[in-house]
């Protein structure tokens, strides 16, 4: 939909980074006035809800500098230029967890922060994991540790703020709603 | 947790805006190398899952410049300096929808984009809405339209990408899990 559309009058690029870019758009509002919008541009990401044969949820512990703490998240990563999201999902799953699968189902996509960022996350699901003997390793400067949590370990992890991000909480609700967990 | 902590060596402020700030931190990694982290600073936000007496979910249509489209989201807004999140929630509910409530329950909080932003959203719930005759109006440059969706209208709205953001999809799963909707 385009209701209340804000037309761009001018775009000012502020920053071009490795992960995000920042620009300010001067926009015309529906009432004829003008305003400025701060826009973070992101390439988009994927995340994988992955259950082991023992019905454990595969989570990745990673230090998140914006939060100044490490949290447990479902495996996820940025989409590389021209990469098909499902390929990204399989790559990140392998790099971060050492698992792969031949059965990856697309679940949904959502914007994480529509007020200021265009980051979209595509969510996939698998309960058909295969452990690789020699998985491709990720970036040598990426430090992650794999955790596998049984359903009864989830609520304590949320309460203790180890699980603390939107996509992972979405994933847990998905598993509960589908009676998979 | 502080596992794999990345210590800040230097912070470079890039941009200070109305909604977000951007800074680059030089960090030391667990392997002794250094790297740079692009960090978006955000004041935090609240969102309200609000059900009418007829079991309709209250949604707000708003143009989202980063997405270049308008979508339907649960009422939400930024926390003002030193504002208690529950007060923010009541204020945004009134400004955006004309409803208030004396029964607002805290549900959970989550980070929206932990890889690059510190935005946290605190989620509240009410099914005890009161329609105000003279609600406080929001910013005159904020254009929103209230929608009330019955449960059977939700799946089509998701399919048609009218509902498309993390907090609103979380809210819908919450209602389904709690058998409220």
């Amino acid at each position: 939909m385009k209701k209340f559309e804000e037309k761009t009058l001018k775009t000012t690029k502020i920053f071009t980074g490795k992960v995000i870019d920042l620009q300010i758009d001067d926009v015309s509002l529906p009432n004829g006035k003008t305003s400025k919008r701060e826009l973070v541009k992101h390439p988009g990401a994927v995340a994988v809800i992955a259950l082991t044969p023992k019905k454990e949820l595969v989570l990745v512990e990673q230090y998140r500098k914006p939060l100044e703490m490490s949290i447990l998240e479902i495996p996820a990563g940025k989409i590389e230029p021209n990469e098909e999201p499902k390929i990204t999902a399989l790559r990140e799953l392998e790099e971060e967890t050492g698992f792969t699968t031949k059965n990856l189902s697309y679940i949904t996509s959502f914007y994480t922060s529509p007020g200021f960022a265009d980051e979209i996350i595509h969510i996939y699901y698998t309960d058909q994991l295969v452990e690789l003997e020699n998985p491709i390793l990720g970036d040598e400067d990426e430090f992650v540790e794999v955790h596998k949590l049984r359903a009864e370990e989830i609520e304590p992890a949320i309460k203790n703020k180890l699980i603390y991000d939107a996509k992972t909480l979405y994933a847990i609700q998905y598993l509960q709603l589908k009676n998979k967990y």
Side-chain angles (χ1 to χ4, degrees), chain A:
Chain A
M1 296 185 291
K2 288 281 184 184
K3 193 156 191 173
F4 308 127
E5 183 173 0
E6 300 176 348
K7 290 223 165 69
T8 305
L9 302 172
K10 189 179 76 168
T11 293
T12 307
K13 292 192 182 296
I14 304 290
F15 174 78
T16 302
K18 284 185 302 179
V19 179
I20 55 171
D21 300 340
L22 176 66
Q23 68 186 49
I24 311 298
D25 279 14
D26 288 65
V27 299
S28 63
L29 301 176
N31 63 1
K33 291 189 185 183
T34 61
S35 189
K36 288 177 188 291
R37 296 284 177 250
E38 301 158 7
L39 309 177
V40 171
K41 310 291 265 186
H42 185 282
V46 302
V48 182
I49 308 171
L51 277 189
T52 69
K54 292 180 189 167
K55 304 271 182 207
E56 300 157 317
L57 178 61
V58 179
L59 295 170
V60 171
E61 181 175 0
Q62 186 172 9
Y63 193 79
R64 292 306 203 172
K65 187 66 185 167
L67 284 45
E68 294 292 8
M69 63 181 172
S70 55
I71 58 174
L72 304 181
E73 299 167 58
I74 56 172
K78 285 192 307 292
I79 299 170
E80 299 295 331
N82 302 314
E83 192 175 39
E84 209 266 303
K86 193 168 183 173
I87 301 299
T88 314
L90 288 168
R91 180 172 53 72
E92 292 290 344
L93 181 66
E94 179 170 345
E95 288 180 4
E96 293 194 342
T97 73
F99 285 110
T100 192
T101 182
K102 289 182 177 172
N103 287 277
L104 196 64
S105 312
Y106 171 74
I107 301 300
T108 193
S109 303
F110 49 72
Y111 288 97
T112 54
S113 300
F116 67 86
D118 69 350
E119 184 193 31
I120 190 168
I121 299 188
H122 308 288
I123 308 283
Y124 293 84
Y125 171 76
T126 181
D127 54 16
Q128 305 286 312
L129 289 173
V130 177
E131 193 151 15
L132 292 165
E133 279 186 36
N134 296 297
I136 298 167
L137 297 176
D139 186 335
E140 62 168 322
D141 289 343
E142 192 178 40
F143 300 88
V144 299
E145 185 173 290
V146 177
H147 295 247
K148 298 170 197 167
L149 265 64
R150 299 188 309 277
E152 64 267 28
E153 296 174 299
I154 290 292
E155 284 305 322
I158 295 172
K159 201 171 174 189
N160 292 323
K161 303 186 174 187
L162 306 177
I163 293 174
Y164 211 169
D165 80 301
K167 67 180 175 304
T168 306
L169 288 167
Y170 178 92
I172 290 162
Q173 286 183 326
Y174 173 84
L175 293 171
Q176 292 169 341
L177 276 170
K178 300 292 180 187
N179 290 314
K180 293 179 185 290
Y181 196 47

